[in-house]
Amino acid sequence: MGSTKVAVIGAGAAGLATAKALLDHDLDVTVLERGDRVGGLWAGDDSAGTSPSYDSLHLNTSKGRTQFVDHPMPEHWPDYPSAARVAGYLAEYAHRFGVTERVRFHTDVTAVRRADTHWEVETAAGAEQAAGIEKFGAVVVANGHNREPKWPSPGYPGHFDGTQMHAHDHHSADTYKGRRVLVVGMGNSAMDIAVDASHVSHGPVLLSARHGSHIVPKYLFGRPSDATGGALSVLPWRIRQAVAQTVLRLAVGTPERYGLPKPAGGLFQNHPTISDTILHRLTHGEVEARPGIERLDGNRVLFTDGTADRVDVIVWATGYHVTIPFLDERWTGDDPEELPLYQRVFHLDDPTLSFVGLMQSTGAALPVVEAQGKLVAAHLAGRYALPTPEQQRAHVQRMHAAAVRRWGAKRPMMRIDFDQYTAAVPRELRAGARRAVARRAVARPNSTTKAAI
């Protein structure tokens, strides 16, 4: 497969890492990017307007646990760099490894179709090119999944006279100056927005959630908190959970201590919220916790505990739908979140269609997509052979069953344990290399037999 022409869709971290790995194997790579720069969600002012980045955005995993293995972040950087620094880091990575010149900017992929022995990739007309269809031997989907905002469904009863916006459209605190603000959600974006708004809002920012989340500060005992998780990674996750929850409770207490809902599951089961500042703003009264919403009533919001507050702006920090709009259901099924993939990478029906970044990690994304890109590249270069289709499906079923036991029904197919996954991929690469050698040996004619004939 060494001469395969490969299309990589998206020039965010996943697409860049994949393209770099493909170039390492001397493969013909074209990266198709709808925006005008590399970096994906970190490129906050890209012309495509699809980035959810905002002014105060920083990493919520430490640089040592976030950086690419092949391109460490500078030692003098802070432990939690800003979005602007991360965007520059990704641009530098792309330049260093020759990826930038392989990117076609302003290229919006509208359809990807299988056609006999190749893939057809259709793109829309743009500022710099006409619409067209191009043939590729393989396609890597690396378009990210923080693109289509998820709103409450069904919507809450009643009507609201003020402004409603999704966290995707939050860019700076200026939007909330002098206004009464309600933020709905318990994820990292919800906490960042609540803290940002609390410095300029009229009165305390209200933070509403039906379900709780563990709040993990960025530092524990003077070290980045995810470094503690990394040190425990050799232990079974249940033991890790018990140890980490004890440490967290001793360090900052429980979410209920701050008026927040009790988490539905234990630490390492649902993605924790990483924030130093939200607890500070809660204890100082600049942010106030509220339960779930019952209904909307003009300029008021009624909550499930019977209380009500006047509100000017509601920010729905309610997540994103996973969408792959250029692939039809033949390849994605009814819901891309439930798409079964071997190693969370290879399509079970055709491994020349692969996915990088279509996962939900307990830790940082960059080392995961770097590892996934290396799997794709080794496979397309013929240096890594997949197991049989039956073995792949059996593996996916085992991983799914384990994910359901650990995480329940919320996106189990996409879930991975960061430390377990990044440790497993090198082993899988070695196993796949052995499979490749064995299959070549079987396929190679027996020279002694041929000579005798």
Side-chain angles (χ1 to χ4, degrees), residues 1-2 9 15 23 47 50 69 77 152 183 186 196 208 216 247 336 338 340 370 376 391-392 444:
M1 291 189 209
I9 302 174
L23 290 172
S47 62
T50 57
V69 174
W77 275 17
V183 179
M186 280 288 288
D196 285 354
S208 168
V216 179
V247 170
E338 299 176 4
E370 183 178 35
V376 172
Q391 290 170 329
Q392 292 179 53
R444 188 182 301 123

Side-chain angles (χ1 to χ4, degrees), residues 165-293:
M165 57 183 285
H166 193 273
H168 184 275
D169 298 314
H170 165 74
H171 298 293
S172 75
D174 294 343
T175 303
Y176 316 109
K177 189 171 184 179
R179 306 173 81 182
R180 299 176 177 88
V181 181
L182 168 66
V183 179
V184 182
M186 280 288 288
N188 292 306
S189 294
M191 301 306 173
D192 285 350
I193 294 169
V195 169
D196 285 354
S198 72
H199 292 286
V200 298
S201 63
H202 178 76
V205 170
L206 308 179
L207 180 63
S208 168
R210 290 185 180 274
H211 307 290
S213 176
H214 292 277
I215 310 295
V216 179
K218 290 190 171 182
Y219 286 90
L220 284 171
F221 310 115
R223 299 180 63 209
S225 54
D226 59 357
T228 302
L232 299 173
S233 63
V234 295
L235 301 174
W237 75 266
R238 284 286 190 190
I239 298 176
R240 278 190 284 155
Q241 181 185 75
V243 172
Q245 282 185 186
T246 300
V247 170
L248 185 61
R249 185 169 61 252
L250 292 172
V252 299
T254 64
E256 304 95 284
R257 161 72 178 77
Y258 301 88
L260 298 170
K262 182 179 180 178
L267 195 62
F268 303 137
Q269 284 179 275
N270 290 312
H271 200 291
T273 298
I274 313 297
S275 177
D276 280 328
T277 48
I278 190 62
L279 300 181
H280 175 274
R281 301 305 279 174
L282 283 162
T283 57
H284 287 75
E286 306 300 336
V287 175
E288 292 184 2
R290 292 291 186 272
I293 295 172

Side-chain angles (χ1 to χ4, degrees), residues 51-111:
S51 172
S53 181
Y54 44 90
D55 289 353
S56 64
L57 180 62
H58 287 67
L59 287 180
N60 55 41
T61 52
S62 65
K63 69 178 182 182
R65 297 268 285 171
T66 302
Q67 63 195 2
F68 288 128
V69 174
D70 292 341
H71 187 65
M73 292 182 178
E75 290 187 8
H76 66 273
W77 275 17
D79 288 322
Y80 295 93
S82 68
R85 271 188 160 142
V86 175
Y89 167 80
L90 292 173
E92 182 184 80
Y93 174 91
H95 176 73
R96 175 185 172 187
F97 295 112
V99 175
T100 308
E101 51 263 41
R102 298 300 185 111
V103 182
R104 291 186 198 163
F105 296 106
H106 305 290
T107 303
D108 190 6
V109 175
T110 55

